[in-house]
Amino acid sequence: MFGVDSSEFLLIAIVALVVIGPKDLPKAMRVVGYWVGKARGVSRSFRQGFDNMVREAELEEMEKRWAAENARIMAEHPASSDAESLAAAEPVADQPERAPEPEPELHAPVMVEKPVVAPAPEHQPAPRPDSTPS
């Protein structure tokens, strides 16, 4: 991560052992581990926030594209006006009103048996044409 080689890490450990002392070294290592964990947590939180911002920006861009595509499609295929749809829905005065057609009766559902899966037959090799049965 920081470009610390194993020999450099060994040198740091020896200097820490000499400076801190063997008695307090475990406590110091716990404190260092705690702060390294905190730093990783902050880093992870920052990265997740950044990723969320990028994802939201991409979503907004996709929504703009979809809206533009939808507007283009709606311009190519305009919907009928309300006056035309109302005129089509009203019956013509010359024709008498008809009784509504009866709806077809619903039939009972078709029952189908569950298929049975049988095990495959064992494969027996076919006899060779040049061999004679014994």
Side-chain angles (χ1 to χ4, degrees):
M1 184 163 103
F2 294 108
V4 178
D5 193 20
S6 59
S7 60
E8 294 171 350
F9 186 73
L10 180 64
L11 179 65
I12 291 171
I14 291 172
V15 169
L17 181 64
V18 170
V19 171
I20 298 173
K23 182 179 177 184
D24 295 328
L25 188 61
K27 183 178 178 184
M29 294 304 292
R30 270 194 304 262
V31 170
V32 168
Y34 173 79
W35 285 108
V36 167
K38 283 279 195 180
R40 284 184 178 177
V42 168
S43 171
R44 185 180 326 114
S45 174
F46 176 76
R47 184 178 302 143
Q48 285 176 350
F50 185 75
D51 289 344
N52 287 341
M53 288 186 339
V54 168
R55 192 174 305 118
E56 287 175 6
E58 289 175 352
L59 272 174
E60 288 176 5
E61 182 181 332
M62 290 300 296
E63 286 175 354
K64 287 178 184 177
R65 284 186 193 171
W66 291 334
E69 183 69 13
N70 189 25
R72 183 188 64 79
I73 291 171
M74 294 303 285
E76 288 179 4
H77 308 285
S80 62
S81 66
D82 291 335
E84 291 174 358
S85 61
L86 288 176
E90 291 179 6
V92 179
D94 295 342
Q95 297 177 353
E97 290 188 31
R98 288 191 243 161
E101 294 182 18
E103 293 185 17
E105 294 182 24
L106 298 177
H107 298 287
V110 178
M111 301 301 288
V112 178
E113 291 183 23
K114 184 177 180 182
V116 177
V117 179
E122 293 184 24
H123 177 63
Q124 297 177 351
R128 294 184 186 174
D130 61 339
S131 65
T132 58
S134 28

